[in-house]
Amino acid sequence: MKRNLSSLEFLLAIVVSLLLVCCVGLIVLSWISLKTEGGVEPAVLSGQMVITDGAVFSDELKNSSSLKFKSLAFDVQQLVSEAFGHSELRLEFKSCQVLDFSQGSVVVTSDLWFNQLINVKEVEQQLRAGLQEAEGTGLVIDRNSIRITEKQSETTAAPTSVTPTTEKQSETTAAPTSVTPTTALKDDLHYEEEDLEVDSVRDREPV
């Protein structure tokens, strides 16, 4: 009887060990899959739309630090978030950040963040459909004015360094001029030598 119990305990221990190994394997696989999903960088798109009712453009909306800018930006971000919450992209959508307002009724330029890269046409369609569901928040958006584009990466052009060109001035050194005695001077010297010779001959003749 004791041997049967020992054998049963041994089998139970093996089964428990196998279950533990399976659990550990499942945990590792889950961790790897979560890590892979977490490694995907979020994508950002640029969005533009026009508010036709519920807001009036003023100079205060040009200042991102003004209370009116912050209040309207908060309302727009809430509206966009609610619209995507009603769309098929509710799991992919992360947040909306209003960048600026411009005149033309009120034109809104914003950044739209997603968990992964989404086709811009699909984002436009889903945002239009979501805004239709989210109407009644006080802001009326012209759904035909919605434009979604890929966010252009801001590249800073390297400053061009201008190297001044130095003109090399050629230094001309005047060649030394050699003074050549003229023919007249040579003749004078020749005559003087002849006169000296004549005088010496006269001195030698007896008186």
Side-chain angles (χ1 to χ4, degrees):
M1 187 69 180
K2 289 182 179 181
R3 289 182 180 178
N4 291 336
L5 289 176
S6 298
S7 300
L8 183 60
E9 290 175 355
F10 181 73
L11 291 174
L12 289 174
I14 293 176
V15 171
V16 170
S17 300
L18 291 175
L19 289 175
L20 287 175
V21 170
C22 292
C23 291
V24 171
L26 290 174
I27 292 172
V28 171
L29 289 176
S30 301
W31 180 78
I32 292 175
S33 62
L34 290 174
K35 186 178 180 181
T36 304
E37 291 179 359
V40 178
E41 294 184 359
V44 58
L45 299 177
S46 180
Q48 193 175 72
M49 57 186 178
V50 177
I51 303 174
T52 57
D53 193 12
V56 179
F57 185 81
S58 65
D59 290 338
E60 291 182 61
L61 292 179
K62 296 179 181 179
N63 182 10
S64 59
S65 300
S66 68
L67 182 61
K68 190 171 184 180
F69 180 97
K70 293 180 179 179
S71 177
L72 184 57
F74 177 80
D75 292 340
V76 171
Q77 289 166 178
Q78 288 292 105
L79 177 60
V80 172
S81 298
E82 184 179 351
F84 277 112
H86 291 292
S87 72
E88 296 177 2
L89 298 177
R90 57 184 174 274
L91 298 179
E92 288 81 5
F93 176 76
K94 292 187 65 177
S95 63
C96 169
Q97 180 183 5
V98 173
L99 300 179
D100 60 67
F101 297 105
S102 56
Q103 196 168 5
S105 293
V106 180
V107 181
V108 184
T109 303
S110 61
D111 281 346
L112 303 174
W113 293 85
F114 297 88
N115 291 328
Q116 58 187 356
L117 186 62
I118 308 294
N119 183 272
V120 293
K121 294 300 181 183
E122 184 180 358
V123 175
E124 286 183 1
Q125 294 173 0
Q126 295 299 323
L127 182 55
R128 291 191 184 104
L131 286 173
Q132 189 172 2
E133 297 292 332
E135 285 183 348
T137 57
L139 296 178
V140 178
I141 305 297
D142 180 8
R143 293 194 297 274
N144 293 325
S145 69
I146 296 174
R147 296 291 180 272
I148 306 297
T149 57
E150 293 183 0
K151 183 73 172 179
Q152 298 296 327
S153 58
E154 299 177 357
T155 56
T156 305
T160 56
S161 58
V162 179
T163 305
T165 57
T166 57
E167 296 181 356
K168 185 178 180 180
Q169 298 179 349
S170 60
E171 299 178 357
T172 57
T173 305
T177 57
S178 58
V179 180
T180 305
T182 60
T183 306
L185 182 58
K186 288 182 178 180
D187 293 341
D188 293 340
L189 293 173
H190 179 68
Y191 292 146
E192 288 178 0
E193 290 177 356
E194 288 181 353
D195 291 340
L196 290 174
E197 289 178 357
V198 171
D199 292 339
S200 62
V201 169
R202 286 178 182 178
D203 292 339
R204 291 175 183 177
E205 290 179 357
V207 180

